PDB file of all heavy atoms in Angstrom:
ATOM      1  N   LYS A1498     -16.750  12.484  -6.234  1.00  0.00           N
ATOM      2  CA  LYS A1498     -16.095  11.850  -7.398  1.00  0.00           C
ATOM      3  C   LYS A1498     -15.724  10.466  -7.034  1.00  0.00           C
ATOM      4  O   LYS A1498     -15.271  10.117  -5.968  1.00  0.00           O
ATOM      5  CB  LYS A1498     -14.936  12.637  -7.849  1.00  0.00           C
ATOM      6  CG  LYS A1498     -15.348  14.019  -8.251  1.00  0.00           C
ATOM      7  CD  LYS A1498     -14.202  14.719  -8.857  1.00  0.00           C
ATOM      8  CE  LYS A1498     -14.619  16.119  -9.307  1.00  0.00           C
ATOM      9  NZ  LYS A1498     -14.028  16.695 -10.430  1.00  0.00           N
ATOM     10  N   THR A1499     -15.815   9.565  -8.106  1.00  0.00           N
ATOM     11  CA  THR A1499     -15.369   8.172  -7.937  1.00  0.00           C
ATOM     12  C   THR A1499     -13.910   8.086  -8.317  1.00  0.00           C
ATOM     13  O   THR A1499     -13.504   8.442  -9.334  1.00  0.00           O
ATOM     14  CB  THR A1499     -16.119   7.186  -8.860  1.00  0.00           C
ATOM     15  OG1 THR A1499     -17.534   7.297  -8.515  1.00  0.00           O
ATOM     16  CG2 THR A1499     -15.675   5.870  -8.786  1.00  0.00           C
ATOM     17  N   ALA A1500     -13.024   7.721  -7.274  1.00  0.00           N
ATOM     18  CA  ALA A1500     -11.606   7.657  -7.403  1.00  0.00           C
ATOM     19  C   ALA A1500     -11.192   6.379  -8.083  1.00  0.00           C
ATOM     20  O   ALA A1500     -10.316   6.231  -8.864  1.00  0.00           O
ATOM     21  CB  ALA A1500     -10.918   7.812  -6.071  1.00  0.00           C
ATOM     22  N   ALA A1501     -11.999   5.307  -7.756  1.00  0.00           N
ATOM     23  CA  ALA A1501     -11.689   3.949  -8.344  1.00  0.00           C
ATOM     24  C   ALA A1501     -12.974   3.155  -8.276  1.00  0.00           C
ATOM     25  O   ALA A1501     -13.710   3.269  -7.379  1.00  0.00           O
ATOM     26  CB  ALA A1501     -10.557   3.220  -7.615  1.00  0.00           C
ATOM     27  N   LYS A1502     -13.102   2.168  -9.091  1.00  0.00           N
ATOM     28  CA  LYS A1502     -14.235   1.286  -9.175  1.00  0.00           C
ATOM     29  C   LYS A1502     -13.891  -0.017  -9.814  1.00  0.00           C
ATOM     30  O   LYS A1502     -13.036  -0.061 -10.726  1.00  0.00           O
ATOM     31  CB  LYS A1502     -15.375   1.929  -9.978  1.00  0.00           C
ATOM     32  CG  LYS A1502     -16.629   1.072 -10.133  1.00  0.00           C
ATOM     33  CD  LYS A1502     -17.645   1.864 -10.965  1.00  0.00           C
ATOM     34  CE  LYS A1502     -18.805   0.993 -11.376  1.00  0.00           C
ATOM     35  NZ  LYS A1502     -19.738   1.572 -12.231  1.00  0.00           N
ATOM     36  N   GLU A1503     -14.313  -1.141  -9.232  1.00  0.00           N
ATOM     37  CA  GLU A1503     -13.998  -2.448  -9.775  1.00  0.00           C
ATOM     38  C   GLU A1503     -15.052  -3.474  -9.513  1.00  0.00           C
ATOM     39  O   GLU A1503     -15.531  -3.440  -8.394  1.00  0.00           O
ATOM     40  CB  GLU A1503     -12.700  -2.975  -9.235  1.00  0.00           C
ATOM     41  CG  GLU A1503     -12.102  -4.241  -9.875  1.00  0.00           C
ATOM     42  CD  GLU A1503     -11.677  -4.033 -11.313  1.00  0.00           C
ATOM     43  OE1 GLU A1503     -10.889  -3.011 -11.566  1.00  0.00           O
ATOM     44  OE2 GLU A1503     -12.122  -4.794 -12.276  1.00  0.00           O
ATOM     45  N   GLU A1504     -15.426  -4.242 -10.517  1.00  0.00           N
ATOM     46  CA  GLU A1504     -16.346  -5.347 -10.269  1.00  0.00           C
ATOM     47  C   GLU A1504     -15.523  -6.436  -9.484  1.00  0.00           C
ATOM     48  O   GLU A1504     -14.354  -6.584  -9.697  1.00  0.00           O
ATOM     49  CB  GLU A1504     -16.929  -5.982 -11.646  1.00  0.00           C
ATOM     50  CG  GLU A1504     -17.857  -5.029 -12.224  1.00  0.00           C
ATOM     51  CD  GLU A1504     -18.543  -5.632 -13.373  1.00  0.00           C
ATOM     52  OE1 GLU A1504     -18.494  -6.841 -13.575  1.00  0.00           O
ATOM     53  OE2 GLU A1504     -19.055  -4.825 -14.272  1.00  0.00           O
ATOM     54  N   TYR A1505     -16.199  -7.210  -8.685  1.00  0.00           N
ATOM     55  CA  TYR A1505     -15.588  -8.250  -7.860  1.00  0.00           C
ATOM     56  C   TYR A1505     -14.918  -9.228  -8.800  1.00  0.00           C
ATOM     57  O   TYR A1505     -13.823  -9.715  -8.555  1.00  0.00           O
ATOM     58  CB  TYR A1505     -16.619  -8.846  -6.926  1.00  0.00           C
ATOM     59  CG  TYR A1505     -17.081  -7.950  -5.819  1.00  0.00           C
ATOM     60  CD1 TYR A1505     -18.343  -7.599  -5.782  1.00  0.00           C
ATOM     61  CD2 TYR A1505     -16.194  -7.449  -4.903  1.00  0.00           C
ATOM     62  CE1 TYR A1505     -18.814  -6.749  -4.734  1.00  0.00           C
ATOM     63  CE2 TYR A1505     -16.584  -6.625  -3.930  1.00  0.00           C
ATOM     64  CZ  TYR A1505     -17.914  -6.251  -3.880  1.00  0.00           C
ATOM     65  OH  TYR A1505     -18.306  -5.344  -2.911  1.00  0.00           O
ATOM     66  N   LYS A1506     -15.574  -9.574  -9.930  1.00  0.00           N
ATOM     67  CA  LYS A1506     -15.094 -10.538 -10.853  1.00  0.00           C
ATOM     68  C   LYS A1506     -13.728 -10.049 -11.524  1.00  0.00           C
ATOM     69  O   LYS A1506     -12.965 -10.868 -11.985  1.00  0.00           O
ATOM     70  CB  LYS A1506     -16.083 -10.944 -11.865  1.00  0.00           C
ATOM     71  CG  LYS A1506     -16.470  -9.901 -12.906  1.00  0.00           C
ATOM     72  CD  LYS A1506     -17.500 -10.386 -13.883  1.00  0.00           C
ATOM     73  CE  LYS A1506     -17.810  -9.263 -14.892  1.00  0.00           C
ATOM     74  NZ  LYS A1506     -18.807  -9.744 -15.828  1.00  0.00           N
ATOM     75  N   GLY A1507     -13.532  -8.834 -11.565  1.00  0.00           N
ATOM     76  CA  GLY A1507     -12.315  -8.205 -12.076  1.00  0.00           C
ATOM     77  C   GLY A1507     -11.113  -8.335 -11.163  1.00  0.00           C
ATOM     78  O   GLY A1507      -9.929  -8.070 -11.500  1.00  0.00           O
ATOM     79  N   GLY A1508     -11.427  -8.617  -9.861  1.00  0.00           N
ATOM     80  CA  GLY A1508     -10.382  -8.828  -8.955  1.00  0.00           C
ATOM     81  C   GLY A1508     -10.331  -7.717  -7.865  1.00  0.00           C
ATOM     82  O   GLY A1508      -9.824  -6.699  -8.100  1.00  0.00           O
ATOM     83  N   VAL A1509     -10.900  -8.063  -6.749  1.00  0.00           N
ATOM     84  CA  VAL A1509     -10.873  -7.082  -5.571  1.00  0.00           C
ATOM     85  C   VAL A1509     -10.240  -7.900  -4.464  1.00  0.00           C
ATOM     86  O   VAL A1509     -10.732  -8.916  -4.043  1.00  0.00           O
ATOM     87  CB  VAL A1509     -12.290  -6.608  -5.168  1.00  0.00           C
ATOM     88  CG1 VAL A1509     -12.234  -5.787  -3.978  1.00  0.00           C
ATOM     89  CG2 VAL A1509     -12.951  -5.869  -6.337  1.00  0.00           C
ATOM     90  N   GLU A1510      -9.226  -7.352  -3.806  1.00  0.00           N
ATOM     91  CA  GLU A1510      -8.582  -8.010  -2.600  1.00  0.00           C
ATOM     92  C   GLU A1510      -8.316  -7.033  -1.632  1.00  0.00           C
ATOM     93  O   GLU A1510      -7.918  -5.840  -1.838  1.00  0.00           O
ATOM     94  CB  GLU A1510      -7.275  -8.635  -3.152  1.00  0.00           C
ATOM     95  CG  GLU A1510      -6.464  -9.352  -2.028  1.00  0.00           C
ATOM     96  CD  GLU A1510      -5.242  -9.986  -2.607  1.00  0.00           C
ATOM     97  OE1 GLU A1510      -5.292 -11.026  -3.133  1.00  0.00           O
ATOM     98  OE2 GLU A1510      -4.187  -9.382  -2.500  1.00  0.00           O
ATOM     99  N   LEU A1511      -8.529  -7.406  -0.331  1.00  0.00           N
ATOM    100  CA  LEU A1511      -8.330  -6.489   0.806  1.00  0.00           C
ATOM    101  C   LEU A1511      -7.386  -7.354   1.776  1.00  0.00           C
ATOM    102  O   LEU A1511      -7.775  -8.435   2.119  1.00  0.00           O
ATOM    103  CB  LEU A1511      -9.577  -6.117   1.424  1.00  0.00           C
ATOM    104  CG  LEU A1511      -9.531  -5.218   2.609  1.00  0.00           C
ATOM    105  CD1 LEU A1511     -10.669  -4.150   2.506  1.00  0.00           C
ATOM    106  CD2 LEU A1511      -9.465  -5.844   3.964  1.00  0.00           C
ATOM    107  N   ALA A1512      -6.276  -6.828   2.045  1.00  0.00           N
ATOM    108  CA  ALA A1512      -5.463  -7.522   2.987  1.00  0.00           C
ATOM    109  C   ALA A1512      -4.936  -6.533   4.048  1.00  0.00           C
ATOM    110  O   ALA A1512      -4.393  -5.496   3.826  1.00  0.00           O
ATOM    111  CB  ALA A1512      -4.110  -7.990   2.230  1.00  0.00           C
TER     112      ALA A1512
END
Side-chain angles (χ1 to χ4, degrees):
K1498 299 188 182 211
T1499 298
K1502 176 181 170 184
E1503 187 68 50
E1504 289 188 18
Y1505 294 115
K1506 68 181 181 182
V1509 175
E1510 181 178 276
L1511 185 141

